[in-house]
Amino acid sequence: MNFPKEFRKFSFSRPDPNRTINRIPSSIETSLLTELVLSRRRYLEAIDHEIVATDRIASELATEVSALEETLEEKRSMLALVNKALDASRENRNKILRDIMTLSNVIPVARRLPDEVLLRIFEDTVETEEYERRALALEWRSYSLGRAPLVICGVCRRWRCIALGTPSLFKYVNIVSASGNEVRPSAALDWWLEHNKKKTMQLSIDGWKVQHNFPLPVELTTDNIHTRLILPRIEVSCIPIPTLGTNIWSDSYPLAKELVLISDGIDGLPAYFDPLAMEAEKVTVSGIRVWWTETTWLSLTELRVIGLPSSRLRSLRAMDIREIIIMAPNLHLLDIMWDESRSHSGESEPSTTISAHENLQTLICSFASITSYLTPLQGSIMCPSFQHLSLKTLPFIQPAELSGWLAFFNALSPFPLRSIELPPIRQDNVNPLIVLFKPLSLLEHLTLKGPAVCELIQRLVVGDDEKVTSFILPSLKSLDIYDSDITDEVLLLFVESRNLKNRPGLARIVDIQLWECPFIGYAKWEEILYIIHS
């Protein structure tokens, strides 16, 4: 390597050990070596001590590992035994489950039900049987007497104990009269009378014979008129044509809050039942042309008149209805279900006096009955409390019927109708109903059902440019809708037209109740409720 000339050249050489200047004195060297050896020995002793300690620890760990290995093998053996026992238990469990399922299939479902569930089934069975029996009896059709409690008691000991401990299962007592003068009681009548609470008993007598001196069991009679039974309901069917000289309902026989009399065509209420009927709050007569004496029935609040097609049953006149209303001053509900072909719509005997019935509130009838029975009466009787009308039928409305309807409600103007319940509405009923609604300017509540409710509600929507005089049902405030095809869009449009327009002379909708309306969505329903309550 070529250096510049200005740099000096240096030479390097190893020190010579033989030179005296470079040697360490021997005494110092020996001392250092001795100290080094001693330090190494001390370090060796520490290492030996550490080795001994570590060896001891390793020995202890080896002993522990050996013991743990023995324990592990032991635990593994135990685990194998436990798994084997567990497999055997699972197999036994599955076998027991299969046995339980097999035995459960052998035991009937009714045997496995709790007593409370069985009792509810028994009660529903008895109520259903009685409901069907009553419906058939009112239509003068054959039926079988209630045997449900007797059948239930004959199934098994458990069912019999449950039934005998429940008096409500024996509250329907049926008595059948034979063709002769004797009385043929229903099967196990003693059971009925023994296990029933007499105050809740509902008695039905089929095949009544007025010549019987004692047609009722002794258990139902009393020697003291002040202790005679007052039953919730007494029904008497197959009533024959009354004869002269018939005894009246005995003072020893029970009275009833509800009386049902069924025949196949009697002209007038048999005088035999006058005492029984005068004490009843509810009376239903089927197949009996109502004819009243001058007796006033103060306790009667509900009356149902059912006419059956019968050649022996004479026509019902409008004045017969007037006599009914006058004879029952506390009557609240009148239900007329008569064959309109057997009525005298034109036979309205004029009355020189005008009577007022202060308590009649509800009328239930067919649409044709408005013209047949009610319109001719409006010149002779007033009902200031009349507020609710329930129509059973709504056929295609003829002009003559429509005129009778309009005359009926025009005469009601001082005492306006507040509520109407309509039968299932068909599509051909919509236009006539719109016409029928026009005179009902003060109607507040409407109950609708049927497949054409949606179309009817659309017709009740108030338009933006609609005049006050053309409003339909301007006072309508609440709706009850059952089993309908109404949609949430139509219902929302109806409520908005009534509540958001703030039109003078138009009432707001304050309540809507829906049942079985599958086309109403939750979101729209919440919006409708918000508009109603805002």
Side-chain angles (χ1 to χ4, degrees):
M1 183 174 181
N2 295 325
F3 291 96
K5 294 180 178 182
E6 59 269 18
F7 288 98
R8 291 181 61 185
K9 293 183 180 181
F10 295 89
S11 62
F12 300 90
S13 63
R14 184 182 299 275
D16 187 1
N18 295 322
R19 293 178 64 182
T20 305
I21 193 170
N22 294 328
R23 290 178 61 87
I24 302 174
S26 60
S27 59
I28 297 175
E29 182 178 358
T30 302
S31 177
L32 291 173
L33 290 174
T34 302
E35 291 293 333
L36 180 61
V37 171
L38 291 176
S39 66
R40 291 300 179 184
R41 284 179 178 177
R42 288 193 297 270
Y43 184 59
L44 179 61
E45 290 177 359
I47 292 175
D48 290 339
H49 181 72
E50 185 177 352
I51 288 173
V52 172
T54 303
D55 184 61
R56 186 178 63 253
I57 293 173
S59 215
E60 293 176 355
L61 290 176
T63 304
E64 292 182 3
V65 168
S66 177
L68 290 174
E69 287 178 350
E70 293 178 0
T71 305
L72 180 60
E73 289 298 328
E74 192 177 326
K75 297 297 182 182
R76 285 176 178 172
S77 301
M78 294 176 62
L79 179 61
L81 293 176
V82 170
N83 287 333
K84 185 176 180 180
L86 182 60
D87 293 337
S89 299
R90 287 174 176 172
E91 184 178 355
N92 291 334
R93 181 180 183 275
N94 294 333
K95 182 179 178 181
I96 293 174
L97 283 177
R98 289 193 296 269
D99 293 342
I100 290 175
M101 294 299 296
T102 302
L103 295 176
S104 298
N105 292 332
V106 175
I107 301 175
V109 178
R111 299 290 182 91
R112 291 177 274 151
L113 294 176
D115 292 350
E116 295 79 6
V117 177
L118 278 176
L119 181 58
R120 181 60 182 271
I121 295 175
F122 295 164
E123 291 175 346
D124 290 346
T125 301
V126 172
E127 294 292 339
T128 301
E129 185 182 44
E130 178 66 13
Y131 176 80
E132 294 176 353
R133 187 201 66 79
R134 292 181 183 182
L136 293 174
L138 288 176
E139 297 177 3
W140 196 259
R141 296 164 60 185
S142 61
Y143 58 87
S144 59
L145 291 176
R147 292 291 187 269
L150 185 63
V151 174
I152 291 172
C153 291
V155 173
C156 63
R157 181 182 300 175
R158 181 192 176 200
W159 285 25
R160 182 163 54 254
C161 292
I162 295 174
L164 295 181
T166 309
S168 60
L169 297 181
F170 297 89
K171 65 181 179 180
Y172 302 117
V173 180
N174 301 306
I175 300 178
V176 182
S177 293
S179 56
N181 291 332
E182 73 279 3
V183 177
R184 177 167 55 89
S186 62
L189 180 59
D190 294 339
W191 276 20
W192 261 263
L193 299 177
E194 178 182 355
H195 297 285
N196 186 9
K197 293 181 180 179
K198 293 183 179 180
K199 292 183 179 180
T200 63
M201 181 187 305
Q202 300 189 30
L203 180 66
S204 63
I205 306 172
D206 184 25
W208 179 267
K209 303 296 180 183
V210 294
Q211 63 267 27
H212 289 165
N213 293 325
F214 298 100
L216 298 184
V218 178
E219 292 83 355
L220 299 179
T221 61
T222 180
D223 295 333
N224 188 349
I225 189 174
H226 299 291
T227 61
R228 66 194 303 183
L229 294 174
I230 300 180
L231 305 181
R233 186 177 187 272
I234 292 180
E235 174 186 314
V236 183
S237 59
C238 300
I239 301 175
I241 299 177
T243 57
L244 296 177
T246 301
N247 296 328
I248 63 173
W249 184 266
S250 174
D251 292 339
S252 63
Y253 291 167
L255 299 176
K257 295 181 179 180
E258 179 180 357
L259 174 64
V260 180
L261 301 178
I262 304 172
S263 183
D264 62 343
I266 294 180
D267 189 12
L269 186 69
Y272 189 91
F273 298 106
D274 273 348
L276 179 60
M278 289 179 61
E279 300 294 334
E281 298 176 0
K282 302 178 182 179
V283 173
T284 300
V285 290
S286 176
I288 300 175
R289 181 179 177 273
V290 184
W291 176 81
W292 309 90
T293 62
E294 295 183 357
T295 307
T296 302
W297 291 10
L298 297 176
S299 61
L300 186 61
T301 59
E302 296 184 12
L303 175 64
R304 288 175 171 83
V305 181
I306 303 174
L308 301 177
S310 172
S311 58
R312 295 169 52 186
L313 195 62
R314 293 198 301 171
S315 302
L316 184 67
R317 302 176 304 171
M319 296 309 299
D320 294 332
I321 305 298
R322 180 181 183 275
E323 291 179 4
I324 293 173
I325 296 176
I326 294 176
M327 301 301 294
N330 295 319
L331 189 66
H332 291 172
L333 183 146
L334 176 61
D335 186 349
I336 304 174
M337 189 172 65
W338 202 267
D339 185 6
E340 303 303 330
S341 62
R342 303 189 54 77
S343 62
H344 287 287
S345 59
E347 185 182 352
S348 57
E349 301 175 4
S351 176
T352 56
T353 60
I354 298 178
S355 303
H357 196 287
E358 300 290 340
N359 296 310
L360 185 61
Q361 299 176 0
T362 303
L363 174 66
I364 305 174
C365 64
S366 64
F367 181 81
S369 297
I370 298 292
T371 303
S372 301
Y373 305 127
L374 303 180
T375 304
L377 296 180
Q378 292 179 338
S380 59
I381 191 168
M382 294 188 303
C383 302
S385 301
F386 181 56
Q387 295 183 356
H388 177 74
L389 174 65
S390 178
L391 296 179
K392 294 184 176 182
T393 60
L394 193 63
F396 183 77
I397 301 170
Q398 302 296 332
E401 296 175 339
L402 182 58
S403 62
W405 173 276
L406 296 177
F408 174 71
F409 284 105
N410 287 334
L412 277 180
S413 56
F415 317 108
L417 190 67
R418 299 295 183 182
S419 173
I420 285 185
E421 179 180 355
L422 297 177
I425 302 172
R426 303 186 305 270
Q427 189 173 4
D428 57 351
N429 298 134
V430 174
N431 289 331
L433 279 175
I434 295 299
V435 179
L436 298 181
F437 286 161
K438 289 184 177 180
L440 307 182
S441 59
L442 297 178
L443 188 73
E444 297 179 354
H445 180 80
L446 190 61
T447 301
L448 304 174
K449 65 189 73 169
V453 171
C454 186
E455 183 178 352
L456 179 62
I457 294 296
Q458 282 181 316
R459 299 288 298 275
L460 296 179
V461 173
V462 179
D464 295 335
D465 55 350
E466 192 171 346
K467 297 181 180 180
V468 177
T469 55
S470 61
F471 289 164
I472 300 176
L473 302 180
S475 301
L476 186 63
K477 296 181 180 179
S478 60
L479 279 174
D480 288 345
I481 302 178
Y482 297 82
D483 192 17
S484 168
D485 62 344
I486 188 169
T487 62
D488 45 18
E489 291 84 359
V490 172
L491 189 59
L492 177 60
L493 181 62
F494 169 76
V495 174
E496 288 178 343
S497 69
R498 298 265 176 165
N499 288 25
L500 299 182
K501 300 297 179 62
N502 295 325
R503 304 287 295 274
L506 187 64
R508 290 175 53 88
I509 301 297
V510 297
D511 182 46
I512 295 180
Q513 300 292 332
L514 302 178
W515 289 269
E516 301 296 332
C517 298
F519 299 104
I520 300 295
Y522 178 77
K524 288 292 182 65
W525 176 242
E526 289 293 325
E527 184 177 354
I528 292 171
L529 292 180
Y530 177 77
I531 296 175
I532 291 176
H533 299 298
S534 61

